[in-house]
Amino acid sequence: MQSVKKILAAAMATAALLATLPAGAQTVQADTSGDEGFWQQTKNRISAIADHGSNELYLSGYAYHGRDTYTQEKLDELNEKTWGGGFGRTLRNASGNDESLYFMGISDSHEQPQLMAGYAYEWIWPVAGSGVEAGLGYTAMMMSREDYFGGVPFPVALPVASLGVKGAKLMASYVPRLSKNKNNGDVLFMFMRVELP
């Protein structure tokens, strides 16, 4: 119950922050050209998403642990119902791709809070002119988990993919198997991203 309270408190604080930001244009290009350094380009990109992105709700619910990677005994201990959520802003840039800033809080594999805040970039492709689109890209984030570094946030980069319409997508990220040892990595995390009015 304490874990759920922590997740909800963090999600509510993020929602309050996002509510102060204006919903903006559908297509904007961050100014990342010229002689500006990496940090200035990064600040410009973040500002463009914050100023012009659409508000979005994130809803999580499932993490699949590879059956060949985890022993049955370990699978019986793990939580695959990763309930939680978060908020973010997504900008469809001038190249037609999505850039997002987000915060999520979920119940991890051990039913402890897992907090994530970061940036995602997805290349977007229309699917047969139907309004459906597929995306593939990456996320770079800071994550906090009780079972890693005692909850101290640490950086993570992972692949992301999506399928849906512009305002509502099924999203997925994959944590690869990190060693030959059993019970490590090989997790497919699935969640929804829904644009708010």
Side-chain angles (χ1 to χ4, degrees):
M1 188 62 178
Q2 192 67 14
S3 300
V4 173
K5 286 182 181 176
K6 286 182 182 177
I7 292 168
L8 288 174
M12 286 173 27
T14 304
L17 174 64
L18 288 173
T20 66
L21 299 173
Q26 296 289 347
T27 304
V28 173
Q29 180 64 46
D31 181 12
T32 58
S33 59
D35 296 329
E36 296 174 336
F38 172 78
W39 291 114
Q40 186 59 49
Q41 290 180 25
T42 301
K43 283 170 53 178
N44 291 347
R45 188 174 303 278
I46 289 170
S47 292
I49 299 167
D51 293 343
H52 303 289
S54 299
N55 289 329
E56 294 179 316
L57 177 67
Y58 287 70
L59 301 169
S60 73
Y62 190 67
Y64 178 84
H65 296 76
R67 296 324 195 230
D68 292 333
T69 301
Y70 291 83
T71 63
Q72 188 57 53
E73 180 181 36
K74 188 67 173 177
L75 286 169
D76 292 341
E77 296 174 8
L78 293 176
N79 169 43
E80 291 194 316
K81 296 181 177 112
T82 55
W83 301 119
F87 296 90
R89 287 176 73 84
T90 294
L91 174 70
R92 178 65 50 97
N93 67 26
S95 301
N97 300 317
D98 283 354
E99 298 184 68
S100 303
L101 297 173
Y102 63 88
F103 170 84
M104 290 182 70
I106 66 170
S107 176
D108 74 8
S109 301
H110 308 289
E111 299 185 359
Q112 296 297 313
Q114 176 176 315
L115 304 176
M116 301 167 281
Y119 168 83
Y121 191 100
E122 274 194 291
W123 288 270
I124 302 296
W125 295 277
V127 178
S130 60
V132 174
E133 50 190 40
L136 186 62
Y138 65 90
T139 182
M141 66 177 143
M142 294 298 289
M143 179 186 294
S144 171
R145 288 176 58 118
E146 291 299 319
D147 56 344
Y148 287 92
F149 312 112
V152 174
F154 58 96
V156 178
L158 296 171
V160 292
S162 67
L163 183 65
V165 295
K166 184 176 182 299
K169 295 189 176 188
L170 175 63
M171 308 283 298
S173 185
Y174 179 69
V175 180
R177 188 168 179 176
L178 304 173
S179 71
K180 293 183 180 181
N181 297 334
K182 285 279 192 181
N183 305 322
N184 190 338
D186 192 16
V187 179
L188 180 67
F189 172 55
M190 301 180 74
F191 57 100
M192 290 288 297
R193 192 179 82 194
V194 181
E195 187 174 320
L196 296 171

